[in-house]
Amino acid sequence: EIMPSLVGSEMCIRDSTWYDAQSETGWLSLEDIEKLKPAISKTKGWIYKETDEYIITFGTYSTDANDNIIEFGEVLCVPKNWI
């Protein structure tokens, strides 16, 4: 498996719970605005990179058969103050 050598020995799978922004583009009453809250999201994935400001995870990876390049899916960058 090539992944550990790609991202180093710190790579691990982690469950993260974080806040996500919510928005409404239509007209809202004051009552509807008061009800609006951030969504609570959950992610389970490999940690690609973690800094003091953000964390990058991915859920899937594969190696392209034509050029042997590793490609990533479900990539997510979450600000740490949202976690």
Side-chain angles (χ1 to χ4, degrees):
E1 178 161 326
I2 14 187
M3 283 309 302
S5 64
L6 175 68
V7 295
S9 60
E10 296 177 23
M11 183 189 78
C12 64
I13 295 177
R14 182 162 113 187
D15 292 315
S16 298
T17 301
W18 52 281
Y19 291 108
D20 197 5
Q22 295 282 2
S23 66
E24 293 287 341
T25 59
W27 293 97
L28 296 178
S29 68
L30 287 175
E31 183 179 316
D32 290 337
I33 291 173
E34 289 292 327
K35 292 178 187 174
L36 198 58
K37 305 259 189 252
I40 297 174
S41 300
K42 297 180 187 251
T43 298
K44 182 173 188 166
W46 279 278
I47 297 172
Y48 176 77
K49 181 178 183 179
E50 186 168 4
T51 72
D52 290 340
E53 292 85 31
Y54 59 88
I55 183 170
I56 298 175
T57 65
F58 63 92
T60 305
Y61 69 91
S62 67
T63 303
D64 186 285
N66 295 321
D67 54 17
N68 221 23
I69 291 176
I70 298 173
E71 299 175 320
F72 300 89
E74 299 112 40
V75 177
L76 186 61
C77 181
V78 180
K80 283 286 189 82
N81 61 356
W82 287 16
I83 296 176

